[in-house]
Each structure stands twice: as structure tokens, then as C-alpha cells.
Amino acid sequence: MVADSSRSDSPRTRDAPARTPSAPRTVAELVQAQWGDHRTALKHQQTVLTHHQVAGAAAARAALLGELLPPGAEPHIAVLLDNVPEFPLWLGAAALAGAAVAGINPTRRGPELARDITHTDCALLITERAHLPLLAGLDLPLPPERVLTVDDPAYQELLAPYEGARPDDVTGSVLRTGPGPRRTPDPTTRMLLYFTSGSTGAPKAALCSQGRLAAAGRSLVGHFGVRTSDVHYLCMPMFHGNAVIAGWAPALAGGAAVALRRRFSASAFLPDVRHYGATYFTYVGRAVQYLLATPPAPDDRDHALRSGFGTEAGAVDAARFAARFGVRLVEGYGSSEGGAALQRTPDTPPGALGRPAPGDDLAVVDPETGDELPRARLDPAGRLLNGDEAIGELVNRGRSAFEGYWRNPEATAARTRGGSPGGAGAGWYWTGDLFFRDPAGFFHFAGRADDRLRVDSENLAAAMIENILARYAPAVGVAVYAVPDPVAGDQVMATLALADGTAFDPDDFAAFLAAQPDLGTKMAPRFVRTVAALPVTATNKVHRVALRRAGFRCPDPVWWRPIAPAARRPAARRAPTAPAPSAEYRRFADDDRAALLAQYRDHGREHLLDR
């Protein structure tokens, strides 16, 4: 399907400033605004659609949805697709109709996948042939006729009667109160139910309204200066909030185009960017590290990209990316649930994520007491001197945009516990993320709440150690996490993904650590695992749970720094001059593993290795 882009009779065919970002309050209004706009809106392989065509296609699907949705059913649509054109078309359809989309993760399997569809009360499932095997034999909560396969001819037959639908004719097609007329979607109308990845338990479906999604899009239009000539490259999975909230929404709000990649590919990234003329992309997790691991080429800067926006790249890799590709990466912070956000300003120092938006009341607090913690003290080298007292959980003590989790009041209450009754929900919004705040008021990310390490009675944050180890040139990816100490607390373990053909040199790594001025005395990893690539989740985030559970019992090579017997005494009885672990690394052998496991058994801590 290729759009006719040769029309010039409309004043909106030429490049223009981004749509006024302050007018539309809902996603439905943004989709309606596409009608009559004949500039390019969507690109995927050989498919090119205009904004007008996208709005028409969304209207047709909204009309079909109005016919297929059973009376009294929740207006929820499960979308089990890769990044193909049908995904944004159904997002637009849901917005017009007043329905909500639940993005289904295709890496989930069996009962877990069925549970996600059942939990979100989806009355319709949109999928493609490639994913049909995932559904075989599952006990789904909907009949076969409400499972639509977008690349099946029967799907086009279903859509055919609605192809002439206009956005205004179908708006609110599923929003009826009894036999009366349908109502128009408003800012509170549910738009997304997207699953948050957790380390334990079933994923939670966070709610996002049309108003919040439209506001996020408008905000990013202003922040990045989105133009109607821009092309947003969506290579992160659209079942995750990053691609929809940070990629699709600002393109829709600013009148820009989106270009879709079915699944992220580091080797295809630059060819795609050049082919589509992409100017902006989003990323999460290790995507930036994968791009940096591709072989450098003389034409690495031959593209139109201006910026990338995402999380977890880190200051070191962001600088490497800018130096190699000439693209500025903007590390942002905003909880998936919308409860807290930081804004980057021109004076934000390296390593910091910014300050709160005007009117927000963000603080770093003790997760046990809720007391605000002291500001960080940094030495001239940037080393955090008081991490034990300055690192805590980031909370929003004011009114947040968090809208809760679908059918999970316990999880919703846990996010909004305590604090002042004047805030959203029952109290403050707790992010689950560790931060510290510097003397100038800038917030610095220090890891997830479950990534805290306690070594010799000192609290450490995994993210801070990762930022230091990321400077180690042979490593293209780094993950730091806790393994339990045989006696008390934790020990630091790091997994290094090494560049192709690179062997781990323990002496070189020890020398690197010794040369880092901001590496605290407790931060050096006791265990180092080397891999070809870090294990990741479907959203390219490091699979820390898998790393933590494997620990030093993994099949990959592990090096370690043995600890002298005198240093094994509990911290309370240790002399100030007690010997530290050896600075040298040696291969962790089978007899080392056996002896260490015996220590865990002797102290009754062997069960902690499986946490």
C-alpha cells in the first residue's frame, strides 16, 4: 500500500511548523486533526501513508470495533503485533472509539500470555500470522471470531464495509451509557493498559488516559522542537510505553511522521535511518550499547538524525554515541506510570538527570521512615562521599499523574502509600528508584530499589558502579548486581559483555579499577562474569533477575578476588586495618565454588543464592 503523495492542492502538503501543541486535550482530537493532511505520516518498508490515510484507516477500524465489541464488555483491545502499520492504526482507532489498547508482549508464553489478555479484560485480540503459534492451545477469554489476524484476507473482508468511515463519524463509537447516544472521549478516557516489568510476580497493567498521553506528546513536541518534516524512528517494541509515549505520541501531536522497524536490529539501524530520513529515535535498556558495538564505518555520520531520547544509556555511552554518530542522546527520567518526572535543563551537569518540573515536589527519602535525606557530598573527582546517608527512594510528595493499575488495588496502594493526603491517590507516589540529590538540587539516578547493595554495612547503588565500569574500553556492556555474602550483607558482582574477539585480561581490569578516582573502597566487584552479550528482556533492559539468580554458579567464565580469612570476620569486630580482598583477579575454579558454597551452608545463607 503506497500513498499518493503527489497532491499539491492542499495548503498542508508543504512543510509547516508543528501543530499547535496546546489545543487538543485528547488523543482522539489529535487523530481527527490528521484528516485532510496529505503529508507523509507513516513509513514501513514499502508502505507510505499520509496523515489523511492514517486517520481514515483508524476510523475504519474504530467502526469495526463498534460492531464487534459485545454489549457490556470493557472496551479493551489486546494487540499482539510487532512494529507493523496495524499497531499505530489500532492505537488511533482505539482513541477515536474511546477504547483502550493493551500491548501484549510476544516473548511471554503459554499461561502467562493468556493471563495478560485475561487480566486486562480484552474483548478483542489483534494479531498476525507470525504470532498465531503463541496462541495455539491457550484458554483465551474470547471466541475465535474476535481474534483478528491482520495479514489474513478475511481481515480485509471484515474492514471493507467501513473503508469510507470518517473520524468524526466514529468518535466515541464504544462509549455509550445505556440506549442513549454515544459520548465523545474526554481526557479521562482510558487509552493504554501497558504492562510494567517487575522482578517478581505477574506484570502489572498501568493505566494511561487519553489526556495523559496527549499531554506527554505535547510536552515532547516543545522539548525537542518537533517539526512536521520530522520522522520518528520507532525501533523499540510498541507494546512497551517507551515507543508509544515517547515516540508515537509526540509525532502525532507535532504532525511528524513515524517510521517502523518490526524489531530492533543494531545492524539495520543506520540503513533504516537513512532510508526513512529519520530525525529522532527512542531507546531503552542496552540498545545504545548494541549500536556502539557495531563496527565503525566512515559514513557513521551520514544521516539526518538530530537526537535520541531514552533511559539507561549512561553518560559514558551517551558521549561515545555523540562522538561517533554526531547525535545527542537525551537521558530522561519519567516513571512508566506517570508518577514522577525530571526535566533536563541546559545547566544539568554530566551524570545528572535534571530537576523536577515546576510545581512538582520530588524528594529523596528514607524508604523506611519517609524522612528526606541529606544532599550528596561530592569530592573534586565527582566521587559520592556520603552515599550511605544520601541515597534513597525518589518520591513525589505532590499531585502526580499516576492513574493506578488495572484491577490491582494492592499494587496501586503500595505506589501511593503514606505521605500527605493532599497528593494523588492515598499519599505520596513512590517510584521504586534510588536517587541522590547534589548540592545544586540536581537529581542523580542510583539504580532500582532492588538493585541496592549493602557491602560491609555500607549502602551502594548498582547504577553508580556501572557508570564507572562502563569506562572499561574492552567492555561493550556492563551490569552490576548483588550476590549475597556468605556471612552478612552482599558482595558486588559484575557481568561484562566483551567486544568480539576480546579476551578478559584480569590484570588489565584490576589496573583499570585502581585508576578510577571515583571508585569507592567497597565498589570493586568481587566477582566478574564475562559474556558475549548481556541477557535482556523483550524491551532490551538487562535481565538482572536472571543474572542475580545465576550469580557465580553460571556456565560462563568467572573471575574473583579471594578474601583473606582475617577479613571474613563480621564488620562489628573487624579492626580498622583488617585486610581487604585481594586486588588481583584469578579464575573462579570448581574447588573455589565448592568451598564458597560450603561457607553459605555453614552460615545458613545458601537459600539466599536463589532470591
Side-chain angles (χ1 to χ4, degrees):
M1 177 166 52
V2 180
D4 176 7
S5 59
S6 62
R7 294 185 53 179
S8 60
D9 55 333
S10 168
R12 302 177 71 183
T13 56
R14 300 182 299 274
D15 185 28
R19 294 180 185 131
T20 302
S22 59
R25 300 187 307 143
T26 66
V27 180
E29 292 172 1
L30 291 171
V31 176
Q32 290 170 326
Q34 292 183 295
W35 189 255
D37 185 342
H38 295 283
R39 287 173 291 104
T40 298
L42 191 154
K43 303 179 182 184
H44 174 69
Q45 297 176 352
Q46 301 308 310
T47 296
V48 180
L49 298 177
T50 66
H51 291 281
H52 182 78
Q53 290 174 310
V54 167
R61 285 152 182 79
L64 174 62
L65 174 60
E67 293 294 328
L68 292 180
L69 192 71
E74 292 287 355
H76 295 174
I77 311 164
V79 177
L80 177 61
L81 297 171
D82 290 335
N83 287 9
V84 295
E86 288 288 343
F87 207 129
L89 293 182
W90 273 100
L91 285 172
L96 290 173
V101 167
I104 305 300
N105 183 345
T107 67
R108 301 269 283 172
R109 294 292 185 272
E112 291 183 344
L113 188 147
R115 177 263 173 199
D116 292 349
I117 298 170
T118 301
H119 174 69
T120 45
D121 295 312
C122 290
L124 192 68
L125 171 61
I126 313 298
T127 189
E128 55 186 314
R129 287 175 176 171
H131 293 321
L132 289 178
L134 300 178
L135 304 173
L138 295 186
D139 183 17
L140 296 177
L142 58 166
E145 61 267 21
R146 283 192 266 121
V147 178
L148 307 186
T149 306
V150 299
D151 46 0
D152 189 300
Y155 174 71
Q156 294 302 325
E157 293 175 10
L158 275 176
L159 275 175
Y162 308 101
E163 288 297 342
R166 298 166 61 97
D168 290 347
D169 295 336
V170 298
T171 299
S173 60
V174 302
L175 294 178
R176 297 181 184 273
T177 53
R182 63 177 183 257
R183 59 184 177 85
T184 301
D186 62 39
T188 67
T189 303
R190 283 194 298 275
M191 175 70 210
L192 300 176
L193 298 96
Y194 53 96
F195 289 101
T196 61
S197 55
S199 57
T200 59
K204 303 180 290 292
L207 300 174
C208 180
S209 64
Q210 289 212 24
R212 180 155 78 88
L213 186 57
R218 295 195 307 266
S219 174
L220 290 173
V221 166
H223 188 74
F224 285 98
V226 176
R227 302 190 292 252
T228 57
S229 57
D230 282 334
V231 178
H232 290 195
Y233 179 56
L234 305 188
C235 55
M236 296 292 101
M238 293 191 73
F239 65 77
H240 186 256
N242 169 271
V244 174
I245 297 173
W248 179 74
L252 182 66
V258 296
L260 305 178
R261 175 78 193 178
R262 177 176 280 273
R263 295 180 183 175
F264 173 73
S265 167
S267 61
F269 181 84
L270 278 181
D272 269 1
V273 162
R274 295 178 183 124
H275 174 70
Y276 295 125
T279 56
Y280 167 93
F281 76 105
T282 67
Y283 60 88
V284 290
R286 300 292 135 173
V288 168
Q289 284 83 359
Y290 296 149
L291 294 171
L292 289 170
T294 58
D299 60 351
D300 277 343
R301 292 188 171 215
D302 181 16
H303 54 74
L305 275 179
R306 295 197 311 271
S307 56
F309 178 54
T311 62
E312 299 184 31
V316 172
D317 284 334
R320 291 174 178 169
F321 198 87
R324 176 174 166 184
F325 298 107
V327 178
R328 178 180 67 113
L329 296 186
V330 179
E331 283 279 291
Y333 177 82
S335 65
S336 310
E337 295 87 344
L342 294 169
Q343 290 187 343
R344 201 172 179 85
T345 54
D347 60 337
T348 300
L353 292 179
R355 290 190 174 106
D360 284 355
D361 184 13
L362 303 189
V364 177
V365 306
D366 184 317
E368 298 296 328
T369 66
D371 295 333
E372 187 166 1
L373 296 177
R375 297 286 179 98
R377 289 185 288 106
L378 307 173
D379 70 9
R383 181 187 300 175
L384 179 62
L385 301 176
N386 62 334
D388 192 49
E389 64 175 3
I391 295 174
E393 187 167 348
L394 181 69
V395 300
N396 186 347
R397 301 180 298 193
R399 184 173 301 278
S400 81
F402 177 53
E403 296 170 309
Y405 298 112
W406 179 253
R407 298 204 189 285
N408 198 334
E410 295 82 6
T412 299
R415 279 286 188 207
T416 55
R417 66 189 187 275
S420 166
W428 295 351
Y429 177 84
W430 296 74
T431 65
D433 292 327
L434 300 176
F435 274 79
F436 62 87
R437 195 173 192 181
D438 67 25
F442 292 99
F443 286 82
H444 299 245
F445 181 67
R448 309 300 178 193
D450 57 358
D451 289 338
R452 183 192 294 267
L453 302 86
R454 190 165 179 82
V455 179
D456 287 345
S457 300
E458 182 175 331
N459 289 325
L460 304 175
M464 298 181 63
I465 305 174
E466 283 182 1
N467 289 339
I468 297 171
L469 300 190
R471 304 168 193 158
Y472 187 54
V476 296
V478 178
V480 172
Y481 44 97
V483 293
D485 185 274
V487 178
D490 302 309
Q491 290 291 338
V492 180
M493 184 164 183
T495 292
L496 306 181
L498 300 177
D500 289 345
T502 302
F504 181 69
D505 183 335
D507 294 334
D508 179 63
F509 184 68
F512 161 79
L513 294 177
Q516 305 311 303
D518 52 346
L519 187 75
T521 58
K522 310 294 185 184
M523 291 182 175
R526 185 183 179 196
F527 301 95
V528 177
R529 174 183 179 181
T530 57
V531 296
L534 293 172
V536 294
T537 66
T539 55
N540 286 308
K541 294 183 178 180
V542 173
H543 202 325
R544 297 181 186 278
V545 174
L547 290 171
R548 196 160 49 230
R549 287 176 177 167
F552 53 75
R553 300 174 297 174
C554 60
D556 299 304
V558 174
W559 278 260
W560 77 319
R561 302 180 306 141
I563 296 181
R568 288 262 33 98
R569 296 195 301 269
R573 300 199 304 271
R574 191 176 303 162
T577 56
S582 167
E584 298 179 356
Y585 287 89
R586 65 174 174 81
R587 189 68 178 263
F588 188 65
D590 290 342
D591 57 345
D592 295 321
R593 182 180 294 105
L596 190 56
L597 290 174
Q599 291 186 40
Y600 284 95
R601 288 192 295 270
D602 290 345
H603 291 87
R605 291 172 63 84
E606 189 175 22
H607 66 284
L608 296 178
L609 294 171
D610 296 315
R611 66 183 180 183

